[in-house]
Amino acid sequence: MRWRGNGDLTSANGNKIIYSGKDDKSESGVGFIISNNMQKSLHSYNPVNDRIITARFYSHIKKFVTIIQCYAPTEEAEESAKNMFYEQLTTTINGIANRDLLILLGDFNAKIGCENEGLSHIMGKHGMGTRNDNGERLVEFCQATQLVIGGSLFPHKRIHKYTWTSPDGKTQNQIDHICIRKSWRSSLLDVRTKRSADIDSDHELVMTTLKIKLKCVRNNNTQRTQRRFDLKLLKNEEKRLEIANNLRAHTPPNNITSWEETCNKLKNIAITHVGYTKKSERKEWISDDNWSLIQERNRIKQQALGDVSKKDRYKTVAKMVKRSARNDKRIYAEAMAKEAEAAAGSNNMKELYKIIKRYTNNSQIRSQPIRDMNGKLLTNAEEQTKRWKQHFEKISNIDGDDSESVHLVQQVNENQNVDNSINTDAPTIAEIASAIIKLKINKAPGEDGIPPELLQVDPTTSARIIHSHINEAWINAEKR
């Protein structure tokens, strides 16, 4: 990954990235990217060093799944560096519970070949190339730790086996591997590369299929993200007139409908006339010219998979894409700065904050692992929470009772003058319409999913539609 230090961050699209690298250099480095919906499955992680990191997940089998991501020294590296790597990897595996489903994966720079005589218990006969020194080390390591090399177990075409291509495009090797604990070998259903993945690297994406399922820990109080209506279309007067007419047509004659039916009618009107916002296929700062270059690069990449002569053309276009992307970002930043300056000059604070939020929305939230009182690294969320509690209890030093504050609150309550002249009758249609007009816009809708902008198209008609429901709620509240 070539990131310095270790820790975790949340990307703009909600994915969690945990990483481990050197403190002083942007070299080597390993990490994981965990999707948004599986983050709660993460139990803990351990950034061992710049070549090894582990992550432990909950699973439905009442056992943990531990994944080790590593980056081994190259074939030309010194003997001492290779020995140190495998010693540290052995120590890491020995520290993992035997009951865990263990998966070891990464760039081992190891060619294991297809010769498996006497080694059928730890590898198959579907590997690639001729075994090198790193390959011998990996095979010996898997024998000692009872691991199986998954990429050699399944018959595939050559194009679905190789994981790395040399810079000249002529040499292809299988040096990235996924290994699994021998006792879980039957859970491994397939291992192969996906050449279609656009990762702009000389390595190919390696994927595995497992029979196991990670446990997604859900919080019942967490609301699911609602789809947003394309409310920008409401600025069109003709569109507003269509919606207003539709609202009047759906006004119940006797106002006798359930709240669920009313909500569904209002949402169906919004879906019919404005629809949902569509997720853009590309980032807003990417120009049309650069997008055409990206598509051209992807097309040439597919051609280069079967024709090595296209490799140089692919590299040239890839460089053009990067250069164009940097230029697009600079132009986008300058345009946003001018818009923000104009908004600040006209004292339009709302637009200014909106521009700032839009520009800074891609910022990544980083956090560093904390240590306990003895200096031990804490990567488990529960342990970190306890440590923070311990820290704040220490610095707050809260002693004694808070009886003085309680007394002041009671005194204020006793001195309050209650105004008995407030009208407590059920709200009228005119009052509801007035409240609808005063609703703040550009806010997330509530549980009903109805945005205030939809009701404000025709406040009076909207008030008639929801009047009976508000009255019903008012009467039920009085009974209580």
Side-chain angles (χ1 to χ4, degrees), residues 261-277:
E261 291 175 335
T262 300
C263 287
N264 290 333
K265 287 179 181 178
L266 291 172
K267 284 190 282 190
N268 288 334
I269 291 173
I271 293 171
T272 302
H273 293 281
V274 297
Y276 294 109
T277 55

Side-chain angles (χ1 to χ4, degrees), residues 46-268:
N46 179 24
V48 180
N49 54 34
D50 62 311
R51 291 188 178 275
I52 302 172
I53 186 172
T54 70
R56 200 174 191 222
F57 298 87
Y58 297 103
S59 74
H60 280 297
I61 57 173
K62 298 182 180 180
K63 296 180 185 294
F64 288 97
V65 176
T66 299
I67 303 177
I68 304 176
Q69 172 70 47
C70 61
Y71 171 50
T74 61
E75 180 72 8
E76 292 76 20
E78 295 181 0
E79 196 83 5
S80 58
K82 296 181 182 181
N83 293 335
M84 186 181 300
F85 168 77
Y86 278 101
E87 287 174 5
Q88 185 64 65
L89 190 57
T90 301
T91 302
T92 302
I93 288 183
N94 290 338
I96 296 172
N98 291 330
R99 62 183 179 275
D100 284 15
L101 191 165
L102 175 62
I103 301 172
L104 172 67
L105 52 86
D107 180 4
F108 289 90
N109 286 297
K111 294 188 289 184
I112 61 170
C114 57
E115 182 58 47
N116 72 334
E117 185 177 352
L119 300 172
S120 58
H121 60 292
I122 60 108
M123 66 175 287
K125 57 182 179 181
H126 302 290
M128 272 186 63
T130 304
R131 192 173 303 160
N132 60 3
D133 178 62
N134 277 349
E136 289 287 354
R137 289 174 180 270
L138 177 60
V139 170
E140 291 175 3
F141 175 78
C142 289
Q143 279 186 296
T145 54
Q146 294 297 296
L147 294 175
V148 179
I149 305 174
S152 64
L153 300 178
F154 306 98
H156 285 296
K157 295 179 181 179
R158 179 184 173 83
I159 58 174
H160 296 151
K161 288 183 182 181
Y162 74 84
T163 66
W164 174 81
T165 305
S166 62
D168 60 6
K170 296 179 180 179
T171 306
Q172 296 169 338
N173 286 319
Q174 186 185 43
I175 61 175
D176 303 272
H177 300 282
I178 297 177
C179 309
I180 191 169
R181 190 166 264 168
K182 186 178 177 182
S183 56
W184 292 92
R185 177 171 177 167
S186 59
S187 297
L188 195 66
L189 302 183
D190 191 24
V191 176
R192 57 161 291 182
T193 60
K194 294 283 187 178
R195 300 189 305 162
S196 59
D198 184 16
I199 55 177
D200 195 21
S201 170
D202 54 358
H203 287 260
E204 305 295 343
L205 179 68
V206 186
M207 296 186 64
T208 182
T209 304
L210 292 171
K211 238 180 348 188
I212 189 144
K213 185 178 180 182
L214 294 179
K215 183 178 182 180
C216 186
V217 183
R218 296 189 180 276
N219 184 354
N220 294 330
N221 296 325
T222 303
Q223 295 181 357
R224 294 190 176 184
T225 304
Q226 295 177 341
R227 296 184 67 184
R228 294 172 178 254
F229 293 112
D230 193 2
L231 300 176
K232 291 185 291 185
L233 297 177
L234 293 178
K235 295 179 181 179
N236 188 317
E237 288 300 326
E238 293 182 2
K239 184 69 67 176
R240 292 177 68 89
L241 183 60
E242 289 177 9
I243 296 175
N245 292 334
N246 207 334
L247 284 172
R248 296 188 190 102
H250 283 81
T251 304
N254 300 320
N255 288 340
I256 304 176
T257 57
S258 67
W259 175 241
E260 288 76 14
E261 291 175 335
T262 300
C263 287
N264 290 333
K265 287 179 181 178
L266 291 172
K267 284 190 282 190
N268 288 334

Side-chain angles (χ1 to χ4, degrees), residues 257-460:
T257 57
S258 67
W259 175 241
E260 288 76 14
E261 291 175 335
T262 300
C263 287
N264 290 333
K265 287 179 181 178
L266 291 172
K267 284 190 282 190
N268 288 334
I269 291 173
I271 293 171
T272 302
H273 293 281
V274 297
Y276 294 109
T277 55
K278 296 180 180 178
K279 188 175 181 180
S280 178
E281 189 180 10
R282 59 179 176 177
K283 300 292 185 182
E284 59 179 327
W285 55 266
I286 299 178
S287 64
D288 293 336
D289 292 339
N290 191 24
W291 187 247
S292 299
L293 274 176
I294 292 173
Q295 293 176 326
E296 175 71 7
R297 181 196 64 183
N298 295 344
R299 185 181 64 81
I300 296 174
K301 181 182 178 181
Q302 294 301 317
Q303 294 177 352
L305 293 175
D307 187 357
V308 178
S309 62
K310 301 280 188 180
K311 198 75 175 180
D312 292 337
R313 175 59 181 165
Y314 169 76
K315 290 181 180 179
T316 302
V317 176
K319 289 180 180 179
M320 293 170 62
V321 168
K322 291 180 180 179
R323 192 181 305 116
S324 179
R326 287 194 293 268
N327 187 50
D328 287 349
K329 278 191 174 182
R330 184 176 64 254
I331 294 173
Y332 176 73
E334 291 174 354
M336 295 284 282
K338 289 180 180 179
E339 290 181 17
E341 188 176 0
S346 60
N347 202 27
N348 188 351
M349 293 296 103
K350 178 180 177 180
E351 184 65 20
L352 176 61
Y353 290 134
K354 184 178 178 180
I355 294 171
I356 293 173
K357 182 178 180 181
R358 195 174 72 192
Y359 184 69
T360 59
N361 192 38
N362 291 332
S363 60
Q364 297 170 332
I365 304 172
R366 292 177 180 258
S367 63
Q368 297 290 335
I370 61 175
R371 301 180 183 272
D372 62 10
M373 298 289 287
N374 300 321
K376 179 184 174 183
L377 200 65
L378 302 177
T379 56
N380 184 293
E382 185 178 349
E383 293 176 348
Q384 289 182 352
T385 303
K386 290 180 180 178
R387 179 69 183 97
W388 279 116
K389 180 181 178 183
Q390 183 185 27
H391 169 72
F392 284 113
E393 285 179 346
K394 181 179 179 181
I395 64 174
S396 299
N397 194 22
I398 302 175
D399 294 321
D401 57 17
D402 201 19
S403 57
E404 184 177 353
S405 299
V406 174
H407 176 70
L408 289 174
V409 172
Q410 291 176 347
Q411 189 175 1
V412 170
N413 291 335
E414 290 174 359
N415 294 334
Q416 284 182 339
N417 294 320
V418 179
D419 186 2
N420 295 321
S421 63
I422 297 176
N423 183 10
T424 58
D425 294 336
T428 62
I429 293 177
E431 290 173 331
I432 296 173
S434 176
I436 290 175
I437 294 172
K438 295 177 182 178
L439 287 174
K440 291 184 178 180
I441 62 174
N442 298 324
K443 299 292 183 180
E447 292 184 1
D448 52 32
I450 302 172
E453 290 88 342
L454 178 64
L455 300 176
Q456 290 174 346
V457 171
D458 189 343
T460 303

